[in-house]
Amino acid sequence: NTVDNGKYALALQQDNFAVSKNGLTPLVDTNGSMTNLVDRVYIGGLGTNVQLNGTISRLSYYTRRLTDSELQTITL
Protein backbone atom coordinates (compact mmCIF):
# COMPACT_ATOMS: atom_id res chain seq x y z
CA ASN A 1 0.00 0.00 0.00
CA THR A 2 1.14 3.54 -0.67
CA VAL A 3 -0.13 6.92 0.48
CA ASP A 4 -1.49 9.00 -2.38
CA ASN A 5 -0.20 12.43 -3.36
CA GLY A 6 -1.68 15.40 -1.61
CA LYS A 7 -1.20 18.05 1.01
CA TYR A 8 -1.69 16.79 4.54
CA ALA A 9 -1.76 18.54 7.91
CA LEU A 10 -1.78 16.70 11.20
CA ALA A 11 -2.45 18.15 14.66
CA LEU A 12 -1.60 16.34 17.87
CA GLN A 13 -2.68 17.30 21.37
CA GLN A 14 -3.91 15.30 24.35
CA ASP A 15 -7.50 14.24 23.53
CA ASN A 16 -7.50 16.51 20.45
CA PHE A 17 -6.18 15.01 17.22
CA ALA A 18 -7.00 16.09 13.67
CA VAL A 19 -5.91 15.51 10.08
CA SER A 20 -6.82 17.39 6.92
CA LYS A 21 -6.02 16.60 3.29
CA ASN A 22 -6.19 18.96 0.32
CA GLY A 23 -8.38 21.54 2.07
CA LEU A 24 -11.03 19.09 3.25
CA THR A 25 -12.72 19.46 6.63
CA PRO A 26 -10.40 17.87 9.20
CA LEU A 27 -11.22 14.48 10.66
CA VAL A 28 -11.10 14.92 14.44
CA ASP A 29 -10.67 12.48 17.33
CA THR A 30 -11.11 13.78 20.88
CA ASN A 31 -10.13 10.62 22.70
CA GLY A 32 -6.51 9.61 22.90
CA SER A 33 -3.41 9.98 24.95
CA MET A 34 0.10 11.12 24.16
CA THR A 35 3.32 10.76 26.02
CA ASN A 36 4.64 13.95 27.58
CA LEU A 37 7.78 13.80 25.50
CA VAL A 38 7.97 13.26 21.77
CA ASP A 39 11.57 12.57 20.86
CA ARG A 40 11.32 11.38 17.25
CA VAL A 41 9.16 11.48 14.14
CA TYR A 42 9.06 8.72 11.58
CA ILE A 43 8.49 9.95 8.04
CA GLY A 44 7.54 7.62 5.27
CA GLY A 45 5.17 5.09 6.67
CA LEU A 46 2.14 4.28 8.75
CA GLY A 47 2.73 0.77 9.96
CA THR A 48 4.55 -1.98 8.19
CA ASN A 49 2.58 -2.06 4.92
CA VAL A 50 2.59 1.63 3.96
CA GLN A 51 5.60 3.42 2.55
CA LEU A 52 6.48 6.78 1.09
CA ASN A 53 7.38 6.32 -2.53
CA GLY A 54 8.11 9.87 -3.57
CA THR A 55 9.34 13.16 -2.21
CA ILE A 56 8.37 15.60 0.51
CA SER A 57 8.49 19.15 -0.78
CA ARG A 58 7.81 20.87 2.53
CA LEU A 59 7.65 19.89 6.18
CA SER A 60 6.60 22.37 8.88
CA TYR A 61 6.44 22.05 12.65
CA TYR A 62 4.37 24.32 14.89
CA THR A 63 4.85 24.57 18.65
CA ARG A 64 1.09 24.79 19.23
CA ARG A 65 -1.87 22.75 18.06
CA LEU A 66 -3.23 24.50 14.97
CA THR A 67 -6.97 25.03 14.81
CA ASP A 68 -9.04 22.84 12.52
CA SER A 69 -9.58 25.86 10.27
CA GLU A 70 -5.82 26.47 10.04
CA LEU A 71 -5.21 22.80 9.16
CA GLN A 72 -7.77 23.07 6.38
CA THR A 73 -6.28 26.32 5.05
CA ILE A 74 -2.66 25.17 4.91
CA THR A 75 -3.62 22.12 2.85
CA LEU A 76 -5.33 24.06 0.06
Side-chain angles (χ1 to χ4, degrees):
N1 294 336
T2 59
V3 175
D4 59 31
N5 293 332
K7 292 182 181 180
Y8 292 85
L10 175 68
L12 304 172
Q13 185 180 45
Q14 183 71 27
D15 295 322
N16 190 358
F17 305 90
V19 62
S20 180
K21 176 188 172 191
N22 296 335
L24 296 175
T25 301
L27 300 174
V28 178
D29 184 349
T30 57
N31 185 17
S33 63
M34 293 180 54
T35 61
N36 290 331
L37 175 64
V38 175
D39 65 354
R40 67 194 74 197
V41 175
Y42 294 98
I43 300 171
L46 303 169
T48 59
N49 295 324
V50 179
Q51 63 185 356
L52 174 67
N53 187 16
T55 60
I56 296 173
S57 62
R58 180 175 163 183
L59 179 67
S60 299
Y61 172 82
Y62 298 86
T63 58
R64 64 176 178 83
R65 198 266 197 217
L66 298 181
T67 66
D68 293 346
S69 178
E70 289 172 320
L71 292 176
Q72 192 170 2
T73 298
I74 65 175
T75 63
L76 288 173

